[in-house]
Amino acid sequence: MKPTLLFLILFQCTIAALHAADFILTDVGVTPAPIIIFKDAPPRTRDAAVTLAKYIEKISGQKPEVIDGEPKPMPERAIWIGVQPVLKKLFPKTDFDFKHPEETLILANEKHLVIAGRDRWDPAHMEAKGRLSTKTGMQQEYGTANAVYTFLHDQLGVRWLWPGEEDVITRERIAIAPCEVRYHPQIRARAALFTKLKLGDHKEGPDMEWARVQRLQLDSMEIDGGHGFGHWWDKYSKTHPEYFALQPDGTRSPHATPHNTKLCESNPQVWQQWLAEVDEQLREDPTRRVFNVSENDGYNFGHCVCKDCVAKDHPDGEKFPFRWKNLTEERPALSDRQVIFANTLGRMLKKRYPDKELYVQLLAYGYSRPAPIAAVPDANVIIASVSNFPMRGPKERVTPMKQHAEWAAKAKHIMWRPNLGSPAGLSWGMPDVPITQMAEDFRFAADNHCLGLYFDMFWYHWSTQGPLYYALAHLAWNPHTDVKALMDDYYQRTYGPAAADVKAYWELLERTRMEFVAEKPSRWRAFDLPEKYTPALFAKAQAHLDAAAAKVATADEKYRRRLHFTRCGFEFAKLVVDTRAGMQQFEASKGKDEAAKARVLANWDRTVVMQKEFPPFAINWMATFHTPGAAPGKRDKRGEGLHPKSPINARTLEEMRAPGLE
């Protein structure tokens, strides 16, 4: 929702309030208004209603009754969850026929409050297999549940700061001015902003609950961040070698990594086999709507050179160095070829299932990052743009932003699917928090009609990156969020009397990382963290935290607890930088500096203590300082440069000298 529209809604609510009394949820001497859920509501919707009752009790000390289905007789005052037949009598002038996906409605008069939204679900298919757990309570749209979470945030003032940490303002009287507030999110695929917090991708816990109440997890579109045919070589190579890319040597041999073997995209047998797999997937899950047709990874190697595939490449496309076994050759970008392939499959899908709203998804990635010259994606093709402009330096952002905008000009549906990398130590748990830049990027994505998100990936270091995660969650729900106001509220609610000092701490770290990525335009800059994160910088940050500690010394315990959480992150960031400084000495000595080695190992010993002493969710210890070293011949992607067993290796050094596409 744009700020001007939000102002008009608030203005209308204010005018209405001048002419009507408030709706009273709770007050001294007043029985709480009951919560009435529509009959046979799906589990996630009912859970949201129960959550509402829980927070009303936390705020007021009074817990409202939760009733399933319209009671007889009807209560004089009630909170109605979801659309119910009686509402047309109670609000005869209101349109309860939601026109937009995920549309939400918060509606109040003196006697009744409605919290509802567009809900779609199939009672026969509400469970599916997830990555680590079963997806339960599945709906295709969760409008009512998200309306409840919106009401809790906007009207009741609940703040979910990070997993397990919330802020609630208690009061005996809860009153809502008469209003009618509608909203529908532009970004319909939000769960994969934090990929590990999707339904079924992680075991239920405080972090999953955080993603749910922030209106990320319960979205209405899915997006697959990976590639579409990784299983094909193992499954079909022996019986159907013709499915795979013809190589310049005349063979249809596999990629060095077989699951990256490319297809012969012009082969009609490939199209039919894909459609047969779609049939199987829909039999297993009839609610599925998006099917990935993205070519396998290893974007520069092994693409098909048969005359029919090559004919689909536009000769005016940007030229890139393609590789095959014993051959490198410049050829045009693959964008036109791959859009034609996606359109072909999309048309077959539409013909097979004319009554279903189904889509194919194509990654604009690697040598298909430039937009096509002639081909135009069909209306049922979703382009997942791997445009790596977020969190990057000024020079690094120009080309991917241009490419993203050019794809958006061609395609009806765009999803934003960046590879984040570790621009300023993101994966290691450094305070890599470009909040202002990300707000700008979300507005850019929204202006280019972004439908969904898949960020690969954040690492859940809440004590060092939590404010960024908080801002992103709100931007995913509304890309036009006033982030400055949002974060001012966050700091005040989180740190109370120390808000100004801790805000200064986070803004110092934000400025530092922005300077770092601008001054050092390399995707490997994290190896040089000690250049920017100096003792002088840490002394400034420490002064802000010390000032904050003095101000919360006699304040509510919750502020001291939250400041301690933040200080744990600061101590960890210093340790990361010191570890990297020690490793720089160790690497420069070619592994002979025993004092540097001892310094690094001592830091690893400190992390063992930190893991025991830090609060839950402060640092994701599975992502950093976890297991040093790698198997012979393998790359230690998470720990490289942080342990004597994993110094910067020759391959990384080569890539640092000649970086390519990320």
Side-chain angles (χ1 to χ4, degrees):
M1 185 181 301
K2 294 185 178 181
T4 52
L5 179 57
L6 179 60
F7 172 79
L8 287 174
I9 290 171
L10 295 174
F11 178 75
Q12 290 167 358
C13 293
T14 302
I15 293 298
L18 295 175
H19 299 283
D22 291 348
F23 172 76
I24 307 302
L25 281 77
T26 64
D27 204 351
V28 178
V30 177
T31 301
I35 296 173
I36 303 173
I37 314 170
F38 65 90
K39 186 179 179 182
D40 299 323
R44 296 289 177 188
T45 302
R46 194 179 192 286
D47 288 349
V50 172
T51 298
L52 174 61
K54 178 181 74 173
Y55 279 102
I56 290 174
E57 183 180 24
K58 286 185 177 183
I59 293 167
S60 69
Q62 298 189 70
K63 186 173 185 178
E65 181 182 7
V66 178
I67 302 170
D68 290 279
E70 182 185 337
K72 301 295 182 182
M74 190 179 73
E76 182 181 359
R77 297 162 44 252
I79 304 169
W80 301 88
I81 304 298
V83 175
Q84 307 179 45
V86 71
L87 296 182
K88 293 182 180 179
K89 296 179 181 179
L90 298 176
F91 295 89
K93 296 181 180 180
T94 300
D95 183 3
F96 290 101
D97 183 16
F98 297 113
K99 304 298 191 300
H100 305 283
E102 297 194 77
E103 187 175 351
T104 63
L105 170 64
I106 297 171
L107 174 67
N109 63 19
E110 182 180 355
K111 295 293 185 180
H112 297 279
L113 169 65
V114 179
I115 307 174
R118 193 164 105 165
D119 297 312
R120 293 195 305 116
W121 74 97
D122 181 349
H125 299 94
M126 298 186 72
E127 289 193 359
K129 183 180 179 182
R131 191 178 70 90
L132 288 181
S133 62
T134 301
K135 301 179 188 178
T136 61
M138 289 172 54
Q139 298 175 215
Q140 285 66 65
E141 292 183 45
Y142 304 83
T144 295
N146 285 325
V148 170
Y149 301 135
T150 297
F151 178 81
L152 284 168
H153 181 276
D154 293 356
Q155 273 79 14
L156 298 192
V158 179
R159 300 290 183 266
W160 299 283
L161 307 172
W162 56 77
E165 190 64 54
E166 65 187 22
D167 195 67
V168 173
I169 299 175
T170 59
R171 55 200 182 274
E172 293 178 330
R173 176 183 169 86
I174 304 176
I176 304 299
C179 64
E180 179 174 333
V181 182
R182 293 180 182 271
Y183 180 72
H184 61 277
Q186 172 183 337
I187 299 175
R188 294 181 54 196
R190 301 179 298 277
L193 172 62
F194 298 105
T195 55
K196 301 300 183 185
L197 302 183
K198 298 185 296 181
L199 283 177
D201 210 86
H202 193 59
K203 295 179 180 179
E204 187 65 24
D207 48 352
M208 294 287 278
E209 182 180 0
W210 182 89
R212 189 153 54 248
V213 295
Q214 297 287 17
R215 299 156 297 185
L216 296 173
Q217 190 182 80
L218 305 182
D219 57 6
S220 65
M221 287 287 284
E222 63 265 30
I223 178 172
D224 183 348
H227 303 265
F229 302 94
H231 62 290
W232 272 46
W233 179 262
D234 288 343
K235 190 173 183 179
Y236 301 120
S237 61
K238 292 181 180 178
T239 54
H240 292 283
E242 70 277 8
Y243 287 0
F244 300 95
L246 179 68
Q247 303 297 293
D249 63 5
T251 69
R252 296 186 185 268
S253 53
H255 189 282
T257 306
H259 67 257
N260 287 340
T261 303
K262 308 303 186 292
L263 302 182
C264 180
E265 296 176 358
S266 63
N267 185 346
Q269 295 178 58
V270 169
W271 311 340
Q272 293 297 333
Q273 186 63 64
W274 172 82
L275 191 60
E277 289 200 354
V278 169
D279 293 337
E280 183 180 343
Q281 290 163 1
L282 283 171
R283 283 192 294 271
E284 183 178 325
D285 180 9
T287 69
R288 183 168 177 171
R289 290 193 297 158
V290 180
F291 301 88
N292 194 345
V293 300
S294 305
E295 186 56 279
N296 289 331
D297 206 356
Y299 59 80
N300 66 348
F301 192 93
H303 290 281
C304 190
V305 297
C306 82
K307 62 181 179 60
D308 291 332
C309 282
V310 171
K312 294 176 173 58
D313 295 333
H314 198 286
D316 295 335
E318 183 178 345
K319 303 305 187 288
F320 291 101
F322 286 75
R323 294 175 54 242
W324 298 270
K325 186 177 180 181
N326 300 322
L327 177 66
T328 298
E329 184 175 290
E330 276 209 345
R331 294 200 176 201
L334 296 167
S335 313
D336 284 81
R337 176 196 300 204
Q338 293 184 354
V339 167
I340 293 168
F341 178 60
N343 285 347
T344 300
L345 301 186
R347 292 165 191 173
M348 295 173 68
L349 186 65
K350 188 173 183 179
K351 183 177 180 181
R352 178 69 62 90
Y353 299 99
D355 298 327
K356 283 180 171 283
E357 183 189 354
L358 303 178
Y359 299 87
V360 298
Q361 174 200 310
L362 176 68
L363 288 177
Y365 169 68
Y367 290 169
S368 63
R369 279 194 175 107
I373 302 298
V376 177
D378 284 356
N380 67 337
V381 174
I382 297 171
I383 299 300
S385 173
V386 187
S387 301
N388 297 334
F389 55 87
M391 307 189 77
R392 298 315 201 270
K395 294 180 181 178
E396 298 169 291
R397 290 161 57 78
V398 174
T399 297
M401 292 184 84
K402 179 176 180 288
Q403 291 172 340
H404 186 90
E406 288 172 349
W407 269 108
K410 290 262 187 177
K412 181 178 180 180
H413 304 297
I414 287 283
M415 291 196 180
W416 183 22
R417 192 252 174 256
N419 289 321
L420 297 181
S422 191
L426 182 75
S427 63
W428 288 347
M430 286 295 291
D432 195 352
V433 287
I435 296 170
T436 303
Q437 184 192 77
M438 289 298 271
E440 296 169 357
D441 288 351
F442 266 78
R443 285 191 291 273
F444 171 81
D447 291 344
N448 285 281
H449 58 91
C450 177
L451 178 69
L453 307 169
Y454 190 108
F455 278 37
D456 188 9
M457 62 176 290
F458 291 108
W459 294 92
Y460 315 103
H461 302 294
W462 294 89
S463 64
T464 57
Q465 298 165 11
L468 175 65
Y469 301 164
Y470 185 86
L472 294 178
H474 286 267
L475 286 163
W477 179 251
N478 180 0
H480 297 282
T481 293
D482 182 342
V483 171
K484 181 180 184 304
L486 175 80
M487 298 313 296
D488 283 346
D489 174 82
Y490 172 86
Y491 296 128
Q492 186 60 49
R493 295 292 298 274
T494 304
Y495 303 107
D501 297 296
V502 187
K503 176 183 177 181
Y505 164 80
W506 284 113
E507 289 184 343
L508 170 65
L509 295 175
E510 180 178 10
R511 288 194 304 274
T512 300
R513 73 83 56 198
M514 294 303 294
E515 292 169 1
F516 187 40
V517 299
E519 294 164 359
K520 206 169 185 67
S522 166
R523 65 186 175 125
W524 301 106
R525 69 178 67 83
F527 290 122
D528 293 321
L529 282 169
E531 289 182 14
K532 189 66 179 179
Y533 292 82
T534 62
L537 170 75
F538 285 136
K540 291 179 182 178
Q542 183 74 60
H544 290 310
L545 294 181
D546 289 346
K551 290 179 181 175
V552 300
T554 58
D556 191 309
E557 185 275 334
K558 66 182 181 182
Y559 299 126
R560 294 194 296 278
R561 180 178 71 244
R562 295 166 187 169
L563 181 60
H564 171 70
F565 187 85
T566 303
R567 294 185 79 143
C568 286
F570 179 59
E571 292 303 315
F572 178 78
K574 290 192 296 181
L575 179 136
V576 172
V577 173
D578 188 71
T579 300
R580 186 62 206 132
M583 281 301 298
Q584 287 178 322
Q585 294 178 332
F586 182 75
E587 290 158 354
S589 73
K590 301 186 183 302
K592 297 178 180 179
D593 190 329
E594 290 298 324
K597 179 179 179 180
R599 173 183 176 184
V600 171
L601 293 178
N603 282 346
W604 276 76
D605 289 341
R606 282 181 61 203
T607 67
V608 175
V609 177
M610 286 178 170
Q611 290 181 52
K612 296 175 181 178
E613 295 181 347
F614 278 18
F617 300 103
I619 296 296
N620 177 9
W621 298 105
M622 296 299 292
T624 187
F625 289 91
H626 180 49
T627 303
K634 298 292 183 179
R635 200 174 192 172
D636 183 9
K637 292 184 178 180
R638 296 187 190 179
E640 184 178 356
L642 289 180
H643 194 281
K645 289 184 179 179
S646 298
I648 298 178
N649 65 29
R651 179 178 169 186
T652 300
L653 289 171
E654 181 182 352
E655 291 179 3
M656 290 169 71
R657 287 190 289 268
L661 286 170
E662 293 189 54

